[in-house]
Amino acid sequence: MLYGECMPATQTARERARAELTREIKDEARRQLAEVGALGLSLRAVARELGMVSSALYRYFSSREDLLTALIVDAYNAVGEAAETADDPKKASLERWESIWLAVRAWAKAHPHEYALIYGSPIPGYQAPQDTVTPASRVAFALVAVLRDADLRVETEVGEMPAELQRQLGAVIEILKITLAPETASRLIMAWTQLFGMINFELFGQYVGSVDPSDAFFAHGIRQMAEFTGIRMTG
């Protein structure tokens, strides 16, 4: 359950109690993330802070990795929801693009520890399961929706696309069931990478001494990437 999400009225008292305790466990785990990071996260410590015996907590999360996965899925869904909520299909393509980028950045700055969990350094020994793929794709799909509706016009060609990349992009397009040309899909992935790359540099202090504070640079980057993907400045 995402932060602030309401529980269905049809739940039984036992189901509501379980959902509430699951929320409390994840909230405490997020608090510990801010203090000790993903590497230091411990089911035993979470149980202790909640006044539970660790064996009771295992009825909710079978392992530390299971709890980490739940936190990762929540974080991906939260930033994805921020992107989707910011988008208004009635607005011009550039404005939609800008709104999504700004919403993702705002979420990251408001939730730096959850952001670091999903876009920071990999967690040693942790292998993300398939359950994380769909939530992780929500921001990309929000950007896809903008490109799909836009009157795209690419101003700069970069040469013929390698056959291997065409094959890879074709597979991605088929799996995700998106209606983008391979070249557009390639440019989208580059822009998607740039979005999180700029946020990472800002949150982790890599812009100090150069473009810090980064508001003007980020706004400029948004428009550069919009133009790169083919969104017209007036479209």
Side-chain angles (χ1 to χ4, degrees):
M1 184 171 64
L2 297 181
Y3 339 141
E5 184 178 333
C6 295
M7 291 178 287
T10 55
Q11 284 186 317
T12 66
R14 176 176 294 182
E15 290 170 337
R16 289 196 297 272
R18 182 177 180 84
E20 177 63 21
L21 186 50
T22 299
R23 182 190 63 77
E24 291 179 8
I25 291 169
K26 291 195 290 186
D27 284 348
E28 174 58 28
R30 291 187 189 97
R31 189 189 69 77
Q32 292 194 20
L33 278 179
E35 292 186 353
V36 299
L39 273 178
L41 183 64
S42 160
L43 286 182
R44 186 181 298 275
V46 171
R48 182 174 61 249
E49 290 298 320
L50 293 176
M52 301 171 62
V53 294
S54 55
S55 58
L57 192 146
Y58 281 100
R59 293 200 293 267
Y60 294 83
F61 296 98
S62 61
S63 65
R64 173 179 171 275
E65 287 67 30
D66 188 27
L67 177 56
L68 277 171
T69 296
L71 297 178
I72 288 169
V73 168
D74 278 1
Y76 276 133
N77 277 325
V79 68
E81 183 177 356
E84 292 161 0
T85 301
D87 184 25
D88 182 353
K90 297 178 183 177
K91 294 183 177 179
S93 298
L94 178 59
E95 188 174 354
R96 294 174 63 188
W97 180 266
E98 289 176 327
S99 295
I100 291 170
W101 280 57
L102 291 173
V104 172
R105 179 184 183 230
W107 184 90
K109 294 178 73 172
H111 305 88
H113 303 293
E114 288 106 299
Y115 179 87
L117 181 64
I118 53 177
Y119 291 114
S121 300
I123 305 168
Y126 174 78
Q127 183 69 39
Q130 191 69 21
D131 296 354
T132 62
V133 173
T134 297
S137 303
R138 288 179 67 173
V139 171
F141 273 115
L143 296 174
V144 165
V146 177
L147 297 185
R148 186 180 55 227
D149 296 341
D151 180 16
L152 300 177
R153 182 180 61 199
V154 175
E155 299 290 354
T156 305
E157 297 295 339
V158 292
E160 186 177 353
M161 181 180 294
E164 174 63 12
L165 179 56
Q166 290 188 42
R167 184 193 63 77
Q168 291 172 336
L169 292 171
V172 170
I173 290 168
E174 183 176 352
I175 291 171
L176 298 182
K177 297 180 172 57
I178 56 178
T179 54
L180 294 178
E183 178 60 33
T184 303
S186 174
R187 288 170 181 261
L188 169 64
I189 292 173
M190 292 180 197
W192 184 44
T193 304
Q194 184 74 6
L195 165 61
F196 291 109
M198 288 197 298
I199 292 173
N200 279 18
F201 264 50
E202 180 177 8
L203 287 188
F204 304 143
Q206 301 300 319
Y207 285 143
V208 173
S210 56
V211 287
D212 179 44
S214 303
D215 295 359
F217 178 72
F218 195 86
H220 183 65
I222 292 174
R223 288 183 166 247
Q224 289 288 308
M225 288 295 101
E227 185 174 0
F228 176 71
T229 56
I231 295 174
R232 303 182 186 199
M233 293 298 103
T234 57

